[in-house]
Amino acid sequence: METVGDLIMKQAKSPMQQEKLGFVIGNMSHSGGTERVLSILANGLAKRGHRVVIISMWGEKETVFPCADAIKRYRLSKEYPKGIKGNLKNVISLYQIVKKEGITLLIDVDLILTFYSLPLKIAMPGLKRISWEHFNYYYQFRKNNRIRRAAMRLAAAFSDVVLVLSKEDQKYYQDNLKICGRLCQIYNPNTYEEVVVQRPKEKLVFAAGRLTRAKGFDYLLKSWKLLEKDFPEWKLCIAGQGEEEAALLSLKEQLDLKGVEFIGNVEQIEAYYEKAAFFVLPSRNEGFGMVLIEAMAYENPVVSFSCKAGPKDIVTDGKDGFLVKTGDYKSFAARMGRLMENGELRERMGRKAKESTKRFQVEKILDQWEELLGTLK
């Protein structure tokens, strides 16, 4: 990965290489779902002949997820930019890279990055911009929520395209913001297309996500309390870490839950998808819900709150899983209980779940991206 200093040193030594697509992301060395989706999309577009650059705003490490050799990667600084001086420096560095690489379409992977890319649009009127949001319209951030709301309004006013992940969220943006460019929706791709489940399912319920209030694991523990006595042979396994971990462990003790295990971050999450009988998503809100698609690819029916926004785009209630009113942990427990007591129902819904993930095949998503990119030439 090249730094801005490397770029300046090489400008006189290497010929200008024309690149078209520039993806700007906070920190590509993170191991989150957004970074994984970007790597899949960038690799797929590069394989189809597009010239791609990925620009991290900060970070010290290499990318966690593999990127094709043809994809150029930069980082603007090692640490998160602070203050006016730090942020202005990153704007200037971003401008240098965009100009040097000949990027004509800049894609912000998070609407807040509008604060960095919009000045470039002013300086380079021919530059096209896509603001690609990975949170839903109503998502409440614990930090900088007002700043993010301002970025959302700027993106709506000045981006060529505002791109969201779900049809549900598309309607929220349409109803609440004046989009001066275009408002488009493209799903994230399924990262597990060729899965063949090769082991028997266990009496295991699986959940995964950051241990934050938004993910609603407190609801899940309360639901499990209503089931544990009647299903003592079943286990609930929760993967992830986060600021609510201590509070959740305390709640587990208060509820005297015996069959619940917090396993932290796991490198081989696929093993849990494969052996789980079904997957649960108790979130208060979601950006999309990629874990639902991943779990369903492993023939897992799901029980999910019908929160904003994403699950209603992914799960068909009663067919490949169950959707429950957000916060109704008693009904959530009842739907889990139905699956726990009925193996035939789990198998039937699991097969439907895997079938439904075909909507999110990588090649189909790439086709939609290419169609969008073609309209911006």
Side-chain angles (χ1 to χ4, degrees):
M1 183 180 293
E2 297 180 78
T3 65
V4 175
D6 295 330
L7 165 64
I8 295 171
M9 290 294 292
K10 288 183 177 181
Q11 278 184 322
K13 298 180 180 180
S14 59
M16 298 284 280
Q17 295 184 3
Q18 295 297 317
E19 301 283 356
K20 183 176 182 179
L21 308 179
F23 289 92
V24 185
I25 189 168
N27 186 347
M28 194 59 185
S29 68
H30 284 170
S31 58
T34 300
E35 291 78 20
R36 177 164 55 176
V37 166
L38 176 53
S39 70
I40 292 169
L41 178 65
N43 286 333
L45 291 173
K47 187 176 181 180
R48 291 188 176 198
H50 294 273
R51 292 165 293 182
V52 179
V53 177
I54 296 178
I55 306 165
S56 289
M57 299 303 296
W58 70 91
E60 294 186 1
K61 301 177 182 178
E62 291 291 329
T63 55
V64 172
F65 301 105
C67 292
D69 292 340
I71 298 174
K72 282 200 167 186
R73 288 164 287 158
Y74 295 93
R75 64 167 179 262
L76 303 188
S77 60
K78 290 185 177 181
E79 298 180 351
Y80 186 88
K82 297 179 180 179
I84 295 176
K85 184 177 180 180
N87 283 285
L88 181 58
K89 181 179 178 181
N90 272 7
V91 170
I92 294 171
S93 297
L94 181 60
Y95 172 81
Q96 290 177 319
I97 292 171
V98 170
K99 187 173 182 180
K100 185 258 182 179
E101 295 292 346
I103 293 170
T104 56
L105 173 58
L106 202 60
I107 303 158
D108 295 333
V109 190
D110 190 333
L111 260 61
I112 198 169
L113 296 174
T114 295
F115 287 119
Y116 297 97
S117 63
L118 184 55
L120 273 65
K121 175 69 173 179
I122 297 172
M124 307 168 70
L127 182 68
K128 301 289 186 179
R129 293 176 55 254
I130 294 177
S131 293
W132 182 21
E133 185 57 289
H134 287 258
F135 299 96
N136 73 64
Y137 176 83
Y138 290 104
Y139 196 96
Q140 293 292 313
F141 296 90
R142 294 184 65 181
K143 295 181 179 181
N144 301 325
N145 194 64
R146 290 184 179 179
I147 295 175
R148 284 183 168 274
R149 290 291 162 185
M152 184 183 291
R153 291 191 292 271
L154 286 172
F158 297 105
S159 297
D160 294 281
V161 175
V162 174
L163 181 63
V164 298
L165 299 181
S166 68
K167 296 184 185 302
E168 178 187 358
D169 204 29
Q170 185 177 21
K171 188 174 188 308
Y172 297 148
Y173 274 80
Q174 182 178 323
D175 291 346
N176 291 284
L177 285 176
K178 182 179 180 181
I179 310 292
C180 296
R182 283 188 294 151
L183 176 63
C184 299
Q185 178 271 326
I186 299 178
Y187 291 127
N188 278 342
N190 175 20
T191 55
Y192 298 109
E193 288 187 7
E194 306 299 329
V195 168
V196 177
V197 177
Q198 298 179 333
R199 61 187 294 176
K201 294 290 188 176
E202 302 177 11
K203 290 186 176 180
L204 172 69
V205 180
F206 185 46
R210 281 189 54 77
L211 304 185
T212 63
R213 186 178 185 279
K215 295 299 183 181
F217 291 119
D218 55 327
Y219 285 141
L220 180 57
L221 295 182
K222 292 176 183 178
S223 295
W224 193 259
K225 177 65 176 178
L226 302 177
L227 297 167
E228 191 168 73
K229 182 178 179 181
D230 294 329
F231 299 94
E233 72 277 21
W234 282 77
K235 303 296 181 185
L236 170 62
C237 189
I238 301 173
Q241 294 180 334
E243 60 265 26
E244 293 291 317
E245 183 171 358
L248 290 169
L249 289 172
S250 176
L251 180 60
K252 174 189 169 183
E253 294 301 316
Q254 292 174 31
L255 296 174
D256 192 29
L257 300 176
K258 307 300 184 184
V260 177
E261 183 180 8
F262 287 86
I263 60 173
N265 291 333
V266 293
E267 292 185 2
Q268 299 297 326
I269 196 172
E270 299 85 358
Y272 289 91
Y273 286 142
E274 187 168 26
K275 66 184 180 181
F278 61 95
F279 185 83
V280 290
L281 188 86
S283 297
R284 288 177 167 85
N285 56 70
E286 278 289 336
F288 180 51
M290 276 297 296
V291 286
L292 290 176
I293 298 173
E294 294 173 359
M296 292 165 74
Y298 277 86
E299 299 181 17
N300 287 305
V302 300
V303 180
S304 172
F305 281 140
S306 57
C307 63
K308 297 180 176 69
K312 290 191 285 292
D313 275 44
I314 300 170
V315 181
T316 303
D317 185 41
K319 180 180 179 181
D320 47 29
F322 294 113
L323 291 171
V324 180
K325 181 180 178 181
T326 305
D328 186 354
Y329 69 88
K330 293 181 180 180
S331 294
F332 200 91
R335 300 301 188 277
M336 286 197 290
R338 284 185 61 183
L339 290 173
M340 292 162 78
E341 66 187 7
N342 192 330
E344 189 279 330
L345 177 64
R346 294 197 304 271
E347 291 180 9
R348 183 174 72 249
M349 281 190 158
R351 290 192 296 269
K352 293 290 187 181
K354 182 176 178 62
E355 181 71 19
S356 71
T357 62
K358 291 182 179 179
R359 295 173 290 153
F360 309 103
Q361 288 178 338
V362 173
E363 294 304 314
K364 289 183 179 180
I365 303 305
L366 287 171
D367 287 344
Q368 294 173 38
W369 267 91
E370 285 199 313
E371 182 178 353
L372 173 60
L373 296 175
T375 65
L376 294 172
K377 290 182 178 179

